[in-house]
Amino acid sequence: MKAEQVIDDLKRRFPNEPEYYQAVTEVLKSIEDVYNEHPEFEASNLIERLCIPDRIHSFRVTWVDDKGKVQTNMGYRVQHSNAIGPYKGGLRFHASVNLSILKFLAFEQTFKNSLTTLPMGGAKGGSDFSPRGKSNAEVMRFCQAFMTELWRNIGPDTDVPAGDIGVGGREVGYLFGWYKKLTREHTGTLTGKGLEFGGSLIRPEATGYGNVYFLKHMLATRGIALKGKTVCVSGSGNVAQYTAEKLLQEGAKVVTLSDSDGYIYDPDGIDRAKLDYVMELKNLYRGRIREYAEQYGVKYVAGARPWGEKCDIAMPSATQNEINADDALTLVNNGCIAVSEGANMPSTPEAIKIFQSNGLLYAPGKASNAGGVSVSGLEMTQNANHLNWSSKEVDEKLQNIMADIHAQCVKYGTLPDGSVDYVKGANVSGFMKVAKAMMAQGIL
Ligand code: NDP
Ligand code: 2IT
């Protein structure tokens, strides 16, 4: 297998999907050598079967807004691979959603889910519908219309969606309610559900907490403590909020948060009371991060990302390609020592190169943000067994999984000089499990 050739071929067959090529390129470059040590992989064209999703469902979603106007959006579910378990991955509702973005996310999810040690395949779905500015009733009608199309293609042992950007507890609740209505079954077909109807404790916290657990393992490889470190976090949604919460508990100082309009810089750090304010602002009132600056009299920078602020650690937790080469250079020049990704593919390939060549500890999202889908997997187990675990039990399992993912990265990513390439480690480890499962199951 020649990575370049496979990628050129994908570009020809699937034009105009830049995010998909970006994700595939990163993985293929890091697994190329290992893959080529296994001629049986190439003999069964494993690489194309792994890069191209098993199937893609796409559909029109028609709904009526509060003014009585009939609206249409596109809906998708990319079922990438069920080699190691049922398709599993979130739904994203955002105006920018298109097939390139969902194909990259489903591809990444396959390797991430493999790393979790749990039996889950990879999928992603969503819509170009944006919940921003919509009433609860509009969001509910949209979710019902979306699920009316999707429900036949999912199920507790088939495909289990969850949240992602624009899909939180409210949306999962509406989606689950309509799924239940259509199927007349109360099964664990979505994760991230409310605690009253089958949700798992610690699922809302899991991605952010898991990222901080992973970060601590990375820092420990160099004997560095997290306590007292200054951290720039981007985003102010689910992942950012619980990243900030765990950082606070660990005695680190979070100085930034952002949304799609701009970022805030709080040199004193975001304390518990301020974080409670952010959670209420974002989750209840669905307000803007600018309001934090007005409330606490700190700096707000419109239309910018937070990477120009001085920090020891950066934890991008908003969206893909939010750290470019310039941002990466600025972080390095400001003395940043670690980057642990909460978002999926937030750093461009050029940015990753800059982090790695400057000796930063750099964790790709598929390793460091895997805590979210891991606790989704634990939610599936609880649902299948009709029981609920305590916060302590789930958190302990999450910590063990993040430690295991870190160990896999070290095992497969340690370089001759003793340093760890977390990109290589995560990709090779995630790939080998999926590849072995595919080989065992024959040509399909
Ligand atoms: P939320 O919708 O809760 O929050 C997203 C945050 O990112 C918001 O602050 C949003 O701002 C901001 N944002 C979204 N799109 C853009 C954009 N194009 N430019 C700038 N800012 C943007 O989503 P999550 O916190 O769940 O997801 C954040 C990231 O983490 C995503 O990359 C997601 O794929 C990833 N992830 C999520 C997991 C989960 O369990 N939820 C698990 C693993 C990864 P605004 O409100 O203005 O849109
Ligand atoms: O990117 C991700 O891992 C998620 N959005 C969570 C997926 C899930 O199924 O919990």
Side-chain angles (χ1 to χ4, degrees), residues 230-234 255-256 258 263-265 299 301 304-314 322-324 326-336:
T230 298
V231 187
C232 279
V233 176
S234 66
V255 290
T256 65
S258 70
Y263 78 89
I264 58 104
Y265 174 66
K299 177 166 94 172
V301 185
R305 300 184 288 228
W307 315 123
E309 303 298 342
K310 194 170 160 48
C311 63
D312 303 308
I313 295 161
E322 55 168 316
I323 300 184
N324 61 25
D326 287 346
D327 300 322
L329 268 178
T330 308
L331 284 164
V332 169
N333 290 335
N334 280 339
C336 180

PDB file of all heavy atoms in Angstrom, residues 230-234 255-256 258 263-265 299 301 304-314 322-324 326-336:
ATOM      1  N   THR A 230      -1.495  26.918  33.686  1.00  0.00           N
ATOM      2  CA  THR A 230      -2.473  27.788  33.038  1.00  0.00           C
ATOM      3  C   THR A 230      -2.920  27.136  31.727  1.00  0.00           C
ATOM      4  O   THR A 230      -2.079  26.705  30.932  1.00  0.00           O
ATOM      5  CB  THR A 230      -1.829  29.159  32.752  1.00  0.00           C
ATOM      6  OG1 THR A 230      -1.469  29.736  34.011  1.00  0.00           O
ATOM      7  CG2 THR A 230      -2.776  30.081  32.023  1.00  0.00           C
ATOM      8  N   VAL A 231      -4.240  27.064  31.539  1.00  0.00           N
ATOM      9  CA  VAL A 231      -4.767  26.319  30.391  1.00  0.00           C
ATOM     10  C   VAL A 231      -5.694  27.197  29.549  1.00  0.00           C
ATOM     11  O   VAL A 231      -6.584  27.868  30.083  1.00  0.00           O
ATOM     12  CB  VAL A 231      -5.556  25.064  30.855  1.00  0.00           C
ATOM     13  CG1 VAL A 231      -5.944  24.206  29.655  1.00  0.00           C
ATOM     14  CG2 VAL A 231      -4.746  24.244  31.859  1.00  0.00           C
ATOM     15  N   CYS A 232      -5.490  27.184  28.238  1.00  0.00           N
ATOM     16  CA  CYS A 232      -6.431  27.801  27.299  1.00  0.00           C
ATOM     17  C   CYS A 232      -7.369  26.718  26.789  1.00  0.00           C
ATOM     18  O   CYS A 232      -6.914  25.727  26.206  1.00  0.00           O
ATOM     19  CB  CYS A 232      -5.713  28.412  26.103  1.00  0.00           C
ATOM     20  SG  CYS A 232      -5.015  30.024  26.443  1.00  0.00           S
ATOM     21  N   VAL A 233      -8.656  26.888  27.025  1.00  0.00           N
ATOM     22  CA  VAL A 233      -9.674  25.975  26.501  1.00  0.00           C
ATOM     23  C   VAL A 233     -10.473  26.751  25.459  1.00  0.00           C
ATOM     24  O   VAL A 233     -10.792  27.924  25.677  1.00  0.00           O
ATOM     25  CB  VAL A 233     -10.617  25.493  27.640  1.00  0.00           C
ATOM     26  CG1 VAL A 233     -11.739  24.620  27.093  1.00  0.00           C
ATOM     27  CG2 VAL A 233      -9.833  24.740  28.718  1.00  0.00           C
ATOM     28  N   SER A 234     -10.785  26.120  24.338  1.00  0.00           N
ATOM     29  CA  SER A 234     -11.696  26.753  23.374  1.00  0.00           C
ATOM     30  C   SER A 234     -13.042  26.053  23.430  1.00  0.00           C
ATOM     31  O   SER A 234     -13.148  24.940  23.931  1.00  0.00           O
ATOM     32  CB  SER A 234     -11.135  26.680  21.952  1.00  0.00           C
ATOM     33  OG  SER A 234     -11.088  25.334  21.534  1.00  0.00           O
ATOM     34  N   VAL A 255      -8.042  29.987  31.642  1.00  0.00           N
ATOM     35  CA  VAL A 255      -8.118  31.430  31.400  1.00  0.00           C
ATOM     36  C   VAL A 255      -8.948  31.815  30.175  1.00  0.00           C
ATOM     37  O   VAL A 255      -9.234  33.004  29.989  1.00  0.00           O
ATOM     38  CB  VAL A 255      -6.700  32.063  31.291  1.00  0.00           C
ATOM     39  CG1 VAL A 255      -6.014  32.068  32.656  1.00  0.00           C
ATOM     40  CG2 VAL A 255      -5.848  31.366  30.244  1.00  0.00           C
ATOM     41  N   THR A 256      -9.311  30.840  29.330  1.00  0.00           N
ATOM     42  CA  THR A 256     -10.120  31.205  28.160  1.00  0.00           C
ATOM     43  C   THR A 256     -11.260  30.216  27.923  1.00  0.00           C
ATOM     44  O   THR A 256     -11.185  29.047  28.311  1.00  0.00           O
ATOM     45  CB  THR A 256      -9.286  31.223  26.846  1.00  0.00           C
ATOM     46  OG1 THR A 256      -8.843  29.898  26.568  1.00  0.00           O
ATOM     47  CG2 THR A 256      -8.099  32.161  26.929  1.00  0.00           C
ATOM     48  N   SER A 258     -14.522  29.979  24.544  1.00  0.00           N
ATOM     49  CA  SER A 258     -14.914  30.678  23.314  1.00  0.00           C
ATOM     50  C   SER A 258     -16.248  30.146  22.798  1.00  0.00           C
ATOM     51  O   SER A 258     -16.766  29.139  23.299  1.00  0.00           O
ATOM     52  CB  SER A 258     -13.842  30.486  22.238  1.00  0.00           C
ATOM     53  OG  SER A 258     -13.834  29.152  21.780  1.00  0.00           O
ATOM     54  N   TYR A 263     -13.836  34.961  21.815  1.00  0.00           N
ATOM     55  CA  TYR A 263     -13.378  34.308  23.042  1.00  0.00           C
ATOM     56  C   TYR A 263     -13.258  35.298  24.200  1.00  0.00           C
ATOM     57  O   TYR A 263     -13.137  36.508  23.983  1.00  0.00           O
ATOM     58  CB  TYR A 263     -12.058  33.574  22.805  1.00  0.00           C
ATOM     59  CG  TYR A 263     -10.815  34.449  22.769  1.00  0.00           C
ATOM     60  CD1 TYR A 263     -10.096  34.743  23.941  1.00  0.00           C
ATOM     61  CD2 TYR A 263     -10.339  34.972  21.575  1.00  0.00           C
ATOM     62  CE1 TYR A 263      -8.953  35.531  23.902  1.00  0.00           C
ATOM     63  CE2 TYR A 263      -9.192  35.753  21.531  1.00  0.00           C
ATOM     64  CZ  TYR A 263      -8.503  36.042  22.708  1.00  0.00           C
ATOM     65  OH  TYR A 263      -7.379  36.819  22.672  1.00  0.00           O
ATOM     66  N   ILE A 264     -13.275  34.773  25.420  1.00  0.00           N
ATOM     67  CA  ILE A 264     -13.043  35.591  26.619  1.00  0.00           C
ATOM     68  C   ILE A 264     -11.696  35.194  27.225  1.00  0.00           C
ATOM     69  O   ILE A 264     -11.274  34.032  27.135  1.00  0.00           O
ATOM     70  CB  ILE A 264     -14.163  35.453  27.680  1.00  0.00           C
ATOM     71  CG1 ILE A 264     -14.336  33.995  28.134  1.00  0.00           C
ATOM     72  CG2 ILE A 264     -15.479  35.999  27.148  1.00  0.00           C
ATOM     73  CD1 ILE A 264     -13.785  33.669  29.468  1.00  0.00           C
ATOM     74  N   TYR A 265     -11.024  36.185  27.818  1.00  0.00           N
ATOM     75  CA  TYR A 265      -9.766  35.922  28.529  1.00  0.00           C
ATOM     76  C   TYR A 265      -9.924  36.440  29.952  1.00  0.00           C
ATOM     77  O   TYR A 265     -10.143  37.627  30.171  1.00  0.00           O
ATOM     78  CB  TYR A 265      -8.613  36.642  27.825  1.00  0.00           C
ATOM     79  CG  TYR A 265      -7.302  36.542  28.584  1.00  0.00           C
ATOM     80  CD1 TYR A 265      -6.673  35.313  28.747  1.00  0.00           C
ATOM     81  CD2 TYR A 265      -6.704  37.675  29.139  1.00  0.00           C
ATOM     82  CE1 TYR A 265      -5.480  35.210  29.451  1.00  0.00           C
ATOM     83  CE2 TYR A 265      -5.506  37.580  29.848  1.00  0.00           C
ATOM     84  CZ  TYR A 265      -4.899  36.342  30.000  1.00  0.00           C
ATOM     85  OH  TYR A 265      -3.722  36.232  30.697  1.00  0.00           O
ATOM     86  N   LYS A 299     -11.684  40.722  29.296  1.00  0.00           N
ATOM     87  CA  LYS A 299     -11.519  40.972  27.863  1.00  0.00           C
ATOM     88  C   LYS A 299     -12.362  40.002  27.022  1.00  0.00           C
ATOM     89  O   LYS A 299     -12.409  38.799  27.301  1.00  0.00           O
ATOM     90  CB  LYS A 299     -10.027  40.796  27.530  1.00  0.00           C
ATOM     91  CG  LYS A 299      -9.693  40.952  26.056  1.00  0.00           C
ATOM     92  CD  LYS A 299      -8.180  41.109  25.852  1.00  0.00           C
ATOM     93  CE  LYS A 299      -7.517  39.782  25.552  1.00  0.00           C
ATOM     94  NZ  LYS A 299      -6.110  39.902  25.169  1.00  0.00           N
ATOM     95  N   VAL A 301     -12.721  39.096  22.842  1.00  0.00           N
ATOM     96  CA  VAL A 301     -12.204  39.380  21.505  1.00  0.00           C
ATOM     97  C   VAL A 301     -13.143  38.742  20.485  1.00  0.00           C
ATOM     98  O   VAL A 301     -13.267  37.513  20.407  1.00  0.00           O
ATOM     99  CB  VAL A 301     -10.766  38.828  21.328  1.00  0.00           C
ATOM    100  CG1 VAL A 301     -10.217  39.245  19.962  1.00  0.00           C
ATOM    101  CG2 VAL A 301      -9.858  39.342  22.438  1.00  0.00           C
ATOM    102  N   ALA A 304     -12.328  35.928  17.011  1.00  0.00           N
ATOM    103  CA  ALA A 304     -10.973  35.365  17.136  1.00  0.00           C
ATOM    104  C   ALA A 304     -11.001  34.111  17.996  1.00  0.00           C
ATOM    105  O   ALA A 304     -11.969  33.836  18.706  1.00  0.00           O
ATOM    106  CB  ALA A 304     -10.036  36.396  17.755  1.00  0.00           C
ATOM    107  N   ARG A 305      -9.890  33.358  17.924  1.00  0.00           N
ATOM    108  CA  ARG A 305      -9.729  32.152  18.739  1.00  0.00           C
ATOM    109  C   ARG A 305      -8.698  32.441  19.828  1.00  0.00           C
ATOM    110  O   ARG A 305      -7.888  33.366  19.692  1.00  0.00           O
ATOM    111  CB  ARG A 305      -9.305  30.993  17.840  1.00  0.00           C
ATOM    112  CG  ARG A 305     -10.369  30.729  16.764  1.00  0.00           C
ATOM    113  CD  ARG A 305     -10.025  29.538  15.912  1.00  0.00           C
ATOM    114  NE  ARG A 305      -8.931  29.784  15.019  1.00  0.00           N
ATOM    115  CZ  ARG A 305      -8.943  29.482  13.707  1.00  0.00           C
ATOM    116  NH1 ARG A 305      -9.999  28.938  13.172  1.00  0.00           N
ATOM    117  NH2 ARG A 305      -7.889  29.718  12.955  1.00  0.00           N
ATOM    118  N   PRO A 306      -8.692  31.648  20.901  1.00  0.00           N
ATOM    119  CA  PRO A 306      -7.918  32.049  22.084  1.00  0.00           C
ATOM    120  C   PRO A 306      -6.425  31.740  22.066  1.00  0.00           C
ATOM    121  O   PRO A 306      -5.744  31.977  23.072  1.00  0.00           O
ATOM    122  CB  PRO A 306      -8.597  31.259  23.213  1.00  0.00           C
ATOM    123  CG  PRO A 306      -9.158  30.057  22.559  1.00  0.00           C
ATOM    124  CD  PRO A 306      -9.520  30.454  21.162  1.00  0.00           C
ATOM    125  N   TRP A 307      -5.879  31.251  20.964  1.00  0.00           N
ATOM    126  CA  TRP A 307      -4.515  30.692  20.994  1.00  0.00           C
ATOM    127  C   TRP A 307      -3.412  31.727  21.126  1.00  0.00           C
ATOM    128  O   TRP A 307      -2.244  31.373  21.308  1.00  0.00           O
ATOM    129  CB  TRP A 307      -4.286  29.774  19.799  1.00  0.00           C
ATOM    130  CG  TRP A 307      -5.446  28.855  19.584  1.00  0.00           C
ATOM    131  CD1 TRP A 307      -6.207  28.720  18.468  1.00  0.00           C
ATOM    132  CD2 TRP A 307      -6.029  27.956  20.560  1.00  0.00           C
ATOM    133  NE1 TRP A 307      -7.221  27.811  18.668  1.00  0.00           N
ATOM    134  CE2 TRP A 307      -7.140  27.327  19.947  1.00  0.00           C
ATOM    135  CE3 TRP A 307      -5.744  27.635  21.897  1.00  0.00           C
ATOM    136  CZ2 TRP A 307      -7.947  26.398  20.610  1.00  0.00           C
ATOM    137  CZ3 TRP A 307      -6.545  26.711  22.564  1.00  0.00           C
ATOM    138  CH2 TRP A 307      -7.616  26.106  21.921  1.00  0.00           C
ATOM    139  N   GLY A 308      -3.763  33.001  21.045  1.00  0.00           N
ATOM    140  CA  GLY A 308      -2.744  34.042  21.236  1.00  0.00           C
ATOM    141  C   GLY A 308      -2.499  34.351  22.707  1.00  0.00           C
ATOM    142  O   GLY A 308      -1.558  35.085  23.051  1.00  0.00           O
ATOM    143  N   GLU A 309      -3.312  33.802  23.602  1.00  0.00           N
ATOM    144  CA  GLU A 309      -3.114  34.063  25.035  1.00  0.00           C
ATOM    145  C   GLU A 309      -2.068  33.086  25.579  1.00  0.00           C
ATOM    146  O   GLU A 309      -2.045  31.919  25.220  1.00  0.00           O
ATOM    147  CB  GLU A 309      -4.445  33.907  25.793  1.00  0.00           C
ATOM    148  CG  GLU A 309      -5.566  34.814  25.280  1.00  0.00           C
ATOM    149  CD  GLU A 309      -5.254  36.310  25.426  1.00  0.00           C
ATOM    150  OE1 GLU A 309      -4.347  36.675  26.209  1.00  0.00           O
ATOM    151  OE2 GLU A 309      -5.928  37.112  24.730  1.00  0.00           O
ATOM    152  N   LYS A 310      -1.248  33.593  26.492  1.00  0.00           N
ATOM    153  CA  LYS A 310      -0.145  32.778  27.023  1.00  0.00           C
ATOM    154  C   LYS A 310      -0.687  31.637  27.900  1.00  0.00           C
ATOM    155  O   LYS A 310      -1.540  31.869  28.767  1.00  0.00           O
ATOM    156  CB  LYS A 310       0.762  33.686  27.862  1.00  0.00           C
ATOM    157  CG  LYS A 310       2.096  33.074  28.198  1.00  0.00           C
ATOM    158  CD  LYS A 310       3.016  34.133  28.816  1.00  0.00           C
ATOM    159  CE  LYS A 310       4.143  33.515  29.610  1.00  0.00           C
ATOM    160  NZ  LYS A 310       4.855  32.436  28.937  1.00  0.00           N
ATOM    161  N   CYS A 311      -0.202  30.430  27.652  1.00  0.00           N
ATOM    162  CA  CYS A 311      -0.650  29.296  28.476  1.00  0.00           C
ATOM    163  C   CYS A 311       0.411  28.196  28.491  1.00  0.00           C
ATOM    164  O   CYS A 311       1.295  28.152  27.647  1.00  0.00           O
ATOM    165  CB  CYS A 311      -1.964  28.726  27.930  1.00  0.00           C
ATOM    166  SG  CYS A 311      -1.825  28.054  26.272  1.00  0.00           S
ATOM    167  N   ASP A 312       0.290  27.309  29.481  1.00  0.00           N
ATOM    168  CA  ASP A 312       1.159  26.127  29.536  1.00  0.00           C
ATOM    169  C   ASP A 312       0.576  24.993  28.703  1.00  0.00           C
ATOM    170  O   ASP A 312       1.307  24.136  28.200  1.00  0.00           O
ATOM    171  CB  ASP A 312       1.285  25.627  30.985  1.00  0.00           C
ATOM    172  CG  ASP A 312       1.823  26.709  31.911  1.00  0.00           C
ATOM    173  OD1 ASP A 312       2.878  27.286  31.586  1.00  0.00           O
ATOM    174  OD2 ASP A 312       1.166  26.997  32.948  1.00  0.00           O
ATOM    175  N   ILE A 313      -0.766  24.957  28.650  1.00  0.00           N
ATOM    176  CA  ILE A 313      -1.455  23.823  28.028  1.00  0.00           C
ATOM    177  C   ILE A 313      -2.632  24.357  27.210  1.00  0.00           C
ATOM    178  O   ILE A 313      -3.333  25.268  27.652  1.00  0.00           O
ATOM    179  CB  ILE A 313      -1.976  22.865  29.131  1.00  0.00           C
ATOM    180  CG1 ILE A 313      -0.787  22.248  29.904  1.00  0.00           C
ATOM    181  CG2 ILE A 313      -2.867  21.770  28.553  1.00  0.00           C
ATOM    182  CD1 ILE A 313      -1.151  21.669  31.250  1.00  0.00           C
ATOM    183  N   ALA A 314      -2.840  23.764  26.031  1.00  0.00           N
ATOM    184  CA  ALA A 314      -3.998  24.133  25.207  1.00  0.00           C
ATOM    185  C   ALA A 314      -4.910  22.923  25.053  1.00  0.00           C
ATOM    186  O   ALA A 314      -4.430  21.813  24.783  1.00  0.00           O
ATOM    187  CB  ALA A 314      -3.532  24.608  23.832  1.00  0.00           C
ATOM    188  N   GLU A 322      -9.376  24.274  14.113  1.00  0.00           N
ATOM    189  CA  GLU A 322      -9.439  25.546  14.840  1.00  0.00           C
ATOM    190  C   GLU A 322      -8.044  25.998  15.317  1.00  0.00           C
ATOM    191  O   GLU A 322      -7.914  27.055  15.920  1.00  0.00           O
ATOM    192  CB  GLU A 322     -10.409  25.461  16.027  1.00  0.00           C
ATOM    193  CG  GLU A 322     -10.109  24.335  17.002  1.00  0.00           C
ATOM    194  CD  GLU A 322     -10.896  24.437  18.314  1.00  0.00           C
ATOM    195  OE1 GLU A 322     -10.982  25.534  18.867  1.00  0.00           O
ATOM    196  OE2 GLU A 322     -11.412  23.395  18.765  1.00  0.00           O
ATOM    197  N   ILE A 323      -7.011  25.169  15.079  1.00  0.00           N
ATOM    198  CA  ILE A 323      -5.632  25.587  15.356  1.00  0.00           C
ATOM    199  C   ILE A 323      -4.839  25.423  14.067  1.00  0.00           C
ATOM    200  O   ILE A 323      -4.625  24.296  13.607  1.00  0.00           O
ATOM    201  CB  ILE A 323      -4.971  24.738  16.465  1.00  0.00           C
ATOM    202  CG1 ILE A 323      -5.763  24.851  17.779  1.00  0.00           C
ATOM    203  CG2 ILE A 323      -3.521  25.164  16.681  1.00  0.00           C
ATOM    204  CD1 ILE A 323      -5.129  24.117  18.953  1.00  0.00           C
ATOM    205  N   ASN A 324      -4.426  26.540  13.459  1.00  0.00           N
ATOM    206  CA  ASN A 324      -3.633  26.444  12.234  1.00  0.00           C
ATOM    207  C   ASN A 324      -2.151  26.630  12.570  1.00  0.00           C
ATOM    208  O   ASN A 324      -1.775  26.749  13.746  1.00  0.00           O
ATOM    209  CB  ASN A 324      -4.131  27.448  11.178  1.00  0.00           C
ATOM    210  CG  ASN A 324      -4.004  28.891  11.669  1.00  0.00           C
ATOM    211  OD1 ASN A 324      -3.172  29.198  12.527  1.00  0.00           O
ATOM    212  ND2 ASN A 324      -4.819  29.779  11.121  1.00  0.00           N
ATOM    213  N   ASP A 326      -0.094  29.114  12.197  1.00  0.00           N
ATOM    214  CA  ASP A 326       0.224  30.368  12.913  1.00  0.00           C
ATOM    215  C   ASP A 326      -0.125  30.248  14.390  1.00  0.00           C
ATOM    216  O   ASP A 326       0.643  30.661  15.261  1.00  0.00           O
ATOM    217  CB  ASP A 326      -0.565  31.541  12.313  1.00  0.00           C
ATOM    218  CG  ASP A 326      -0.013  31.946  10.959  1.00  0.00           C
ATOM    219  OD1 ASP A 326       1.112  31.512  10.634  1.00  0.00           O
ATOM    220  OD2 ASP A 326      -0.717  32.681  10.228  1.00  0.00           O
ATOM    221  N   ASP A 327      -1.315  29.710  14.660  1.00  0.00           N
ATOM    222  CA  ASP A 327      -1.731  29.526  16.059  1.00  0.00           C
ATOM    223  C   ASP A 327      -0.746  28.617  16.790  1.00  0.00           C
ATOM    224  O   ASP A 327      -0.370  28.863  17.940  1.00  0.00           O
ATOM    225  CB  ASP A 327      -3.127  28.885  16.139  1.00  0.00           C
ATOM    226  CG  ASP A 327      -4.208  29.717  15.467  1.00  0.00           C
ATOM    227  OD1 ASP A 327      -4.149  30.958  15.572  1.00  0.00           O
ATOM    228  OD2 ASP A 327      -5.105  29.124  14.840  1.00  0.00           O
ATOM    229  N   ALA A 328      -0.345  27.536  16.107  1.00  0.00           N
ATOM    230  CA  ALA A 328       0.567  26.563  16.730  1.00  0.00           C
ATOM    231  C   ALA A 328       1.903  27.234  17.063  1.00  0.00           C
ATOM    232  O   ALA A 328       2.444  27.040  18.168  1.00  0.00           O
ATOM    233  CB  ALA A 328       0.781  25.367  15.806  1.00  0.00           C
ATOM    234  N   LEU A 329       2.412  28.025  16.130  1.00  0.00           N
ATOM    235  CA  LEU A 329       3.682  28.722  16.370  1.00  0.00           C
ATOM    236  C   LEU A 329       3.567  29.689  17.548  1.00  0.00           C
ATOM    237  O   LEU A 329       4.467  29.772  18.393  1.00  0.00           O
ATOM    238  CB  LEU A 329       4.090  29.511  15.126  1.00  0.00           C
ATOM    239  CG  LEU A 329       4.999  28.781  14.143  1.00  0.00           C
ATOM    240  CD1 LEU A 329       5.283  29.676  12.945  1.00  0.00           C
ATOM    241  CD2 LEU A 329       6.311  28.351  14.825  1.00  0.00           C
ATOM    242  N   THR A 330       2.439  30.387  17.603  1.00  0.00           N
ATOM    243  CA  THR A 330       2.214  31.319  18.716  1.00  0.00           C
ATOM    244  C   THR A 330       2.206  30.567  20.046  1.00  0.00           C
ATOM    245  O   THR A 330       2.833  30.983  21.019  1.00  0.00           O
ATOM    246  CB  THR A 330       0.864  32.060  18.529  1.00  0.00           C
ATOM    247  OG1 THR A 330       0.853  32.628  17.239  1.00  0.00           O
ATOM    248  CG2 THR A 330       0.662  33.143  19.568  1.00  0.00           C
ATOM    249  N   LEU A 331       1.493  29.436  20.073  1.00  0.00           N
ATOM    250  CA  LEU A 331       1.447  28.640  21.311  1.00  0.00           C
ATOM    251  C   LEU A 331       2.856  28.210  21.720  1.00  0.00           C
ATOM    252  O   LEU A 331       3.252  28.355  22.883  1.00  0.00           O
ATOM    253  CB  LEU A 331       0.550  27.409  21.115  1.00  0.00           C
ATOM    254  CG  LEU A 331      -0.964  27.673  21.121  1.00  0.00           C
ATOM    255  CD1 LEU A 331      -1.734  26.489  20.549  1.00  0.00           C
ATOM    256  CD2 LEU A 331      -1.461  27.979  22.542  1.00  0.00           C
ATOM    257  N   VAL A 332       3.612  27.705  20.748  1.00  0.00           N
ATOM    258  CA  VAL A 332       4.979  27.243  21.040  1.00  0.00           C
ATOM    259  C   VAL A 332       5.818  28.415  21.563  1.00  0.00           C
ATOM    260  O   VAL A 332       6.492  28.308  22.597  1.00  0.00           O
ATOM    261  CB  VAL A 332       5.627  26.630  19.769  1.00  0.00           C
ATOM    262  CG1 VAL A 332       7.120  26.384  19.980  1.00  0.00           C
ATOM    263  CG2 VAL A 332       4.920  25.332  19.394  1.00  0.00           C
ATOM    264  N   ASN A 333       5.760  29.542  20.873  1.00  0.00           N
ATOM    265  CA  ASN A 333       6.575  30.704  21.275  1.00  0.00           C
ATOM    266  C   ASN A 333       6.175  31.249  22.637  1.00  0.00           C
ATOM    267  O   ASN A 333       6.980  31.869  23.334  1.00  0.00           O
ATOM    268  CB  ASN A 333       6.487  31.809  20.219  1.00  0.00           C
ATOM    269  CG  ASN A 333       7.203  31.395  18.948  1.00  0.00           C
ATOM    270  OD1 ASN A 333       8.104  30.555  18.989  1.00  0.00           O
ATOM    271  ND2 ASN A 333       6.793  31.947  17.811  1.00  0.00           N
ATOM    272  N   ASN A 334       4.917  31.012  23.029  1.00  0.00           N
ATOM    273  CA  ASN A 334       4.453  31.464  24.352  1.00  0.00           C
ATOM    274  C   ASN A 334       4.763  30.450  25.453  1.00  0.00           C
ATOM    275  O   ASN A 334       4.310  30.613  26.588  1.00  0.00           O
ATOM    276  CB  ASN A 334       2.951  31.747  24.319  1.00  0.00           C
ATOM    277  CG  ASN A 334       2.639  33.107  23.702  1.00  0.00           C
ATOM    278  OD1 ASN A 334       3.512  33.977  23.655  1.00  0.00           O
ATOM    279  ND2 ASN A 334       1.413  33.291  23.249  1.00  0.00           N
ATOM    280  N   GLY A 335       5.438  29.370  25.106  1.00  0.00           N
ATOM    281  CA  GLY A 335       5.875  28.423  26.140  1.00  0.00           C
ATOM    282  C   GLY A 335       4.923  27.275  26.420  1.00  0.00           C
ATOM    283  O   GLY A 335       5.045  26.597  27.445  1.00  0.00           O
ATOM    284  N   CYS A 336       3.972  27.036  25.526  1.00  0.00           N
ATOM    285  CA  CYS A 336       3.019  25.931  25.724  1.00  0.00           C
ATOM    286  C   CYS A 336       3.770  24.592  25.679  1.00  0.00           C
ATOM    287  O   CYS A 336       4.615  24.377  24.813  1.00  0.00           O
ATOM    288  CB  CYS A 336       1.964  25.999  24.622  1.00  0.00           C
ATOM    289  SG  CYS A 336       0.715  24.726  24.717  1.00  0.00           S
TER     290      CYS A 336
END
